[in-house]
Amino acid sequence: MDTLSNVGKSKIILALGGGVVPAESEDNSGAEMMPDEIITNINTVNGCLYQLKTQHDQLLNSLKDDETSTNPVELEKISLLADNLDVIDVGIREAGILLTVTQILDNVEGERLKLRAQVKRLGQENK
C-alpha cells in the first residue's frame, strides 16, 4: 500500500504526444518521468487498487454476514465501504483506459514512423 500513497501524492501530467512527462514530486525536485515509468506506475497503482478492492470486499462481506445488526454505526460502515468500492472500481477502469490509450498511441507512433520512412524511400527513388 505504500506505493499507492506515494504515487497518489505526486501529480503526474500525461502528455499524450510522448516524450518526457514532467511530474511534481514531494520534494519538488522537478523530476521528470519517462512514458515507460508512467506505464509502470499505472500498473502499480492498478495492482494496489485491486488489493484495496479485495480488502474492501472482504470487510463489506464480513459486515453484511451479520445481517441481524441494526447498529447505525455498522450500517454507516457498510454504506461507506460500498461508496469506496464504487470509487475504486472507477479508478481501476480509468487505469485500464490509460493503458489502452498508451497502446493505441504507441501503435500510431509506429505507423507514423513507418510512413515517414516510406516517404523518405520514395523520395530517394524519384531522384
Side-chain angles (χ1 to χ4, degrees), residues 2-48:
D2 216 26
T3 306
L4 178 62
S5 62
N6 289 340
V7 173
K9 290 179 185 176
S10 65
K11 293 181 181 177
I12 300 173
I13 302 169
L14 291 176
L16 296 178
V20 177
V21 179
E24 294 178 11
S25 62
E26 291 176 23
D27 59 3
N28 294 325
S29 64
E32 294 183 346
M33 295 179 69
M34 298 300 292
D36 290 342
E37 292 174 302
I38 292 172
I39 292 170
T40 301
N41 285 343
I42 291 171
N43 284 325
T44 301
V45 168
N46 205 22
C48 292

Side-chain angles (χ1 to χ4, degrees), residues 40-112:
T40 301
N41 285 343
I42 291 171
N43 284 325
T44 301
V45 168
N46 205 22
C48 292
L49 286 172
Y50 274 112
Q51 290 176 353
L52 191 60
K53 181 180 185 215
T54 301
Q55 291 174 352
H56 275 65
D57 280 333
Q58 290 170 349
L59 287 171
L60 188 59
N61 289 335
S62 69
L63 286 173
K64 284 184 176 180
D65 285 344
D66 187 20
E67 293 179 12
T68 60
S69 176
T70 57
N71 185 350
V73 173
E74 286 189 17
L75 295 175
E76 180 67 19
K77 285 181 184 179
I78 290 172
S79 173
L80 289 173
L81 283 169
D83 292 344
N84 285 347
L85 276 171
D86 291 340
V87 173
I88 291 168
D89 284 335
V90 168
I92 290 170
R93 285 193 305 271
E94 287 178 352
I97 290 169
L98 286 173
L99 291 173
T100 302
V101 167
T102 302
Q103 290 173 347
I104 291 169
L105 290 174
D106 285 345
N107 291 340
V108 168
E109 180 66 16
E111 287 296 318
R112 187 184 69 80

